[in-house]
Structure formats: C-alpha cells, structure tokens
Amino acid sequence: MNEELTGIINSFDIPGEPVSFDAITDGHINRTYKVEVETENGSEFFLVQRINTFVFKNPDELMENIVNVTGFLKEKIRKNGGDENRETLTVIKTKDGRNYFKTDKNDCWRVYSFVRDTYALNSIDNPEIFYETGRAFGIFQRLLSDYPIDSLFETIPDFHNTEKRYESLEKAIKNNRANRVGEVEKEIEFIRQRKDDARLFTDLLRKKELPVRVTHNDTKLNNILFDKKTDKGICVIDLDTVMPGLSLYDFGDCIRYGASTAKEDEKDLSRVSIDLDLFEAYSKGYLEAAGQSLTEKEKSLLAVSVKIMTLELAIRFLEDYLNGDEYFNINYPDHNLARTRTQIKLVADIEKKLPQMEKIINSL
Ligand code: GN1
Ligand code: MG
C-alpha cells in the first residue's frame, strides 16, 4: 500500500486502516483512487481524489460549493423518500473538520464515500441506458432549480463561454508555444469557418433570451452512477463544475460524448458519428425529467446545442494541443490532436443531421 496515500487517508475522519487501493483513470483532470478500508464492521470503500489545482485554482471555494450542493441535495432526496447516501455524493471531512487535506507539497486531497453496488460507463450499448442518463441529469437540474444561485462560486470562470474559448484558441495559435500550428492548419480552418457558432449562446445571454440556471457543466456519461440491480441512473458525480450555466451546456455536452458512435479519442474517423437513436433516447429521458421547466427558447436550441458543445470541445482540445498539453491528462503525445479531430468529425456529422435532430425534439 502506497505510503503517501495511506498518510493522506489517515488524516481523514475514517474509522479504520486502508488496506488496498485501485487507480481510477477515467477522468481527464483529477487523480482518483478507490480505497478499501478495514473497519470494525468489515470493509468500507472510499474515493480519494487529488484536486487538480492547475485547473481549479481555488480548492476552498470548490469544496465549499460541493459541500453546500450535496447538503442541499441530501435534504431534497430525504424529503422525496430517497436514499441520501446513494443518490448524491458524501464528502468525508478531515480529522480536524476541513473539507480537504493539504500536504506539505501543497497537494490538495479530498475523500468521498464510495457508492456501493453501482457502476459507471464510458460508452453506451443500448438506448435504454442513455434514456436513464438523460433522466438522471434532468432530475439533477430540477432538484437544483431553487438552489441559491448567487451563493455558488464560479470554480472555472467562463468555463462554457464558447466565444472566449474561441478567442483563446486564436491566442494559442498566435503564440504557437509548442510549435505545432503547422500540423493543424486544416483543423484551424474548420473551426474558423464556424466563428459565428462560437458566439451563439453568448449573444443570447447578452440579450437575456436564455435563463441562467444551476447546471452541472460536465455531463459526461461517466459522471453518472447506475444502480447494479435496477440499471437506473441514481447518482450524479463530479460536481467540481456545478455553477451558474445554461441547460443547453449540459444537454449538448452529454450527447456529444454519449451518443457518439466512437470514443472521444477515436483515431479511425470513419467510425465517428452521432447516433440518432441514442440522441432520441437521451432527449426523451431529459425532457421527461426537466422539460416542464424549460422555456420555448431553450427547447428550440437543444438540437443545435449538441453542435455548439462539440465545437467547444474541439476548440479546447486544440488549444491544449497548441499550448503543449498542460490542461487535459494525455496518454500519448498527440492525444489532444486525436481528440480534436474526433470532435471535428462529429461537428461535421451533426451539421448534416441537424434537421433530423430538430424533428426528433419536436416529436417529443
Ligand atoms: C474533463 O474530468 P472529466 O474527464 O470528467 C473536462 C470537461 C470535458 C471532458 C472531456 C473540469 O472532464 O470539461 O468535457 O474532460 N473537465 C474540466 O472529456 O475541464
Ligand atoms: Mg468526470
């Protein structure tokens, strides 16, 4: 058992000794381990995570958000007769009552209880499970609809400001820090042709035509836990980016990742497209759970939000590639380029399918 990790776990209010740990490598940002702790009542499991402070500059604010949001959710879940220990995350405090632990090297670590008898997915094999995903994120949004939005810290300012993302890509092109611009002229050209798309949401926000809500902002498929027995999506995790945002960010981003026929970093682009059955299943689940609270304007933009969010990710991956891979975890040197190309292929496919996607939304 890793000594450093044992020391970290022992500084949390956990009644027992850590006996084993497994790295969980799904996320692109934080470092995560599942830890088994031997207690008087047998084995208990915890999730131990190093917060990426290059990405999240203010861990105090970040953790305060999470403690408050999960506290708010727990109260609602209790009132609705649910299980507050399964349907949202539980933050374990340190022995001295803090929300996270800071090592002498200034690394910041936090601990959650592990939600037993659940599983997470990195890809979808049947529409039913994606319907469940839509429902789970829809319910999440609904439960937080009366959360005091002004009390939330913005953990990453302008996180889904696609217009600013576009501008900072242009800066990265100009600076060419990793000397990679020459390799990606086609990709840059593709994105530049869609400059106006990057300001669709910011323009509407300036005109106050879209409501700002409490949103998750990172609705990747693997941020839902499914119940092993019922296969229902029961717990939304990865709450680092719960912030004021648009419902369209959450909708579009989840389809981008989950309804793609290929992985986010698939190199064989012929395999990359949007699966309309999955699109329909998710939309159905999401609209059943949250549809009533959406404005007509929001509904009318659901289909196009998939394109905008996919374009945004293409911009973000490409920017990181040009900056020398300092933001997203990578597994090989041109990983961010592979991700960029996949997103671009997906944008092109979505553009072709937009009329069909609109039709599906209208039929629901
Ligand atoms: C990151 O941490 P993870 O893997 O759930 C990123 C998301 C991206 C996603 C792309 C804080 O999410 O915005 O959509 O990678 N999270 C942050 O896979 O930047
Ligand atoms: Mg995640």
Side-chain angles (χ1 to χ4, degrees):
M1 177 89 190
N2 175 308
E3 229 173 85
E4 191 198 3
L5 214 48
T6 307
I8 289 160
I9 294 157
N10 283 335
S11 61
F12 284 85
D13 188 14
I14 295 176
E17 276 302 309
V19 288
S20 70
F21 68 94
D22 280 313
I24 298 181
T25 54
D26 289 343
H28 292 352
I29 306 291
N30 299 313
R31 186 136 53 91
T32 309
Y33 300 91
K34 179 183 173 184
V35 177
E36 182 181 359
V37 173
E38 218 154 73
T39 71
E40 280 182 357
N41 314 317
S43 276
E44 265 191 61
F45 292 89
F46 296 89
L47 219 67
V48 180
Q49 228 172 17
R50 195 186 70 185
I51 302 169
N52 179 331
T53 46
F54 176 77
V55 169
F56 298 104
K57 309 278 187 215
N58 191 328
D60 287 288
E61 292 184 356
L62 170 81
M63 289 310 294
E64 200 176 318
N65 270 0
I66 295 179
V67 167
N68 290 340
V69 166
T70 51
F72 182 92
L73 288 172
K74 281 178 190 297
E75 207 174 306
K76 286 224 167 161
I77 293 164
R78 242 187 341 258
K79 273 190 197 144
N80 297 341
D83 182 346
E84 62 181 277
N85 293 321
R86 286 178 70 67
E87 291 167 39
T88 190
L89 290 172
T90 304
V91 176
I92 307 291
K93 302 231 177 182
T94 63
K95 289 201 166 104
D96 55 357
R98 293 172 205 274
N99 292 335
Y100 67 94
F101 174 72
K102 201 186 252 181
T103 67
D104 343 329
K105 288 186 279 173
N106 278 334
D107 287 342
C108 298
W109 291 83
R110 65 175 165 210
V111 174
Y112 293 115
S113 317
F114 187 83
V115 187
R116 276 188 185 235
D117 301 316
T118 57
Y119 59 93
L121 291 172
N122 283 310
S123 64
I124 293 277
D125 42 18
N126 66 74
E128 192 55 30
I129 202 93
F130 209 37
Y131 163 85
E132 276 303 323
T133 309
R135 255 192 94 243
F137 279 127
I139 292 172
F140 182 82
Q141 190 186 300
R142 203 179 62 205
L143 289 177
L144 290 175
S145 61
D146 56 347
Y147 188 86
I149 193 164
D150 295 330
S151 71
L152 277 173
F153 295 106
E154 231 182 315
T155 52
I156 302 178
D158 291 315
F159 189 54
H160 284 308
N161 185 326
T162 318
E163 189 180 350
K164 285 216 173 138
R165 295 283 187 187
Y166 183 93
E167 286 162 12
S168 81
L169 172 63
E170 287 291 358
K171 249 183 250 152
I173 296 169
K174 216 161 139 206
N175 296 339
N176 196 10
R177 272 165 44 205
N179 211 1
R180 286 169 162 174
V181 167
E183 293 167 43
V184 293
E185 273 162 14
K186 270 206 269 171
E187 287 73 17
I188 292 173
E189 183 52 27
F190 182 94
I191 292 172
R192 282 191 172 145
Q193 281 167 4
R194 287 156 185 81
K195 183 174 181 190
D196 288 344
D197 291 324
R199 34 185 303 181
L200 177 67
F201 292 160
T202 40
D203 278 344
L204 289 167
L205 271 168
R206 277 187 286 266
K207 289 193 254 167
K208 299 206 166 14
E209 288 186 26
L210 288 171
V212 176
R213 303 177 183 279
V214 176
T215 48
H216 183 277
N217 297 307
D218 185 6
T219 47
K220 250 160 96 168
L221 176 62
N222 59 22
N223 285 334
I224 296 270
L225 299 179
F226 297 92
D227 188 302
K228 273 189 186 157
K229 280 198 209 99
T230 63
D231 292 320
K232 296 232 172 283
I234 58 157
C235 183
V236 172
I237 61 171
D238 198 348
L239 305 174
D240 295 333
T241 49
V242 174
M243 286 186 281
L246 297 179
S247 58
L248 300 164
Y249 302 153
D250 283 2
F251 182 86
D253 195 31
C254 195
I255 307 267
R256 167 193 79 79
Y257 186 92
S260 171
T261 51
K263 287 186 297 197
E264 193 182 51
D265 53 2
E266 174 62 57
K267 285 193 169 172
D268 177 357
L269 295 181
S270 70
R271 300 170 76 164
V272 181
S273 66
I274 278 284
D275 181 319
L276 291 179
D277 291 333
L278 291 180
F279 173 76
E280 177 162 359
Y282 185 90
S283 304
K284 190 161 181 283
Y286 176 76
L287 286 171
E288 278 174 19
Q292 280 194 331
S293 62
L294 298 183
T295 65
E296 286 309 310
K297 188 77 185 176
E298 284 174 298
K299 286 187 214 162
S300 74
L301 293 165
L302 286 171
V304 79
S305 77
V306 182
K307 174 181 164 185
I308 305 299
M309 297 312 289
T310 309
L311 178 67
E312 183 183 290
L313 260 293
I315 292 172
R316 291 178 62 195
F317 287 141
L318 185 56
E319 181 193 352
D320 200 31
Y321 184 66
L322 294 179
N323 288 342
D325 311 307
E326 55 187 13
Y327 187 96
F328 295 104
N329 292 338
I330 53 166
N331 301 332
Y332 52 88
D334 58 354
H335 203 166
N336 275 316
L337 179 58
R339 290 167 174 155
T340 305
R341 291 186 168 146
T342 312
Q343 303 309 299
I344 284 180
K345 171 71 200 294
L346 214 46
V347 170
D349 189 59
I350 296 165
E351 285 175 346
K352 279 192 226 132
K353 291 176 180 160
L354 256 184
Q356 284 160 279
M357 291 163 69
E358 308 271 8
K359 224 174 168 178
I360 291 170
I361 296 285
N362 289 334
S363 76
L364 296 169

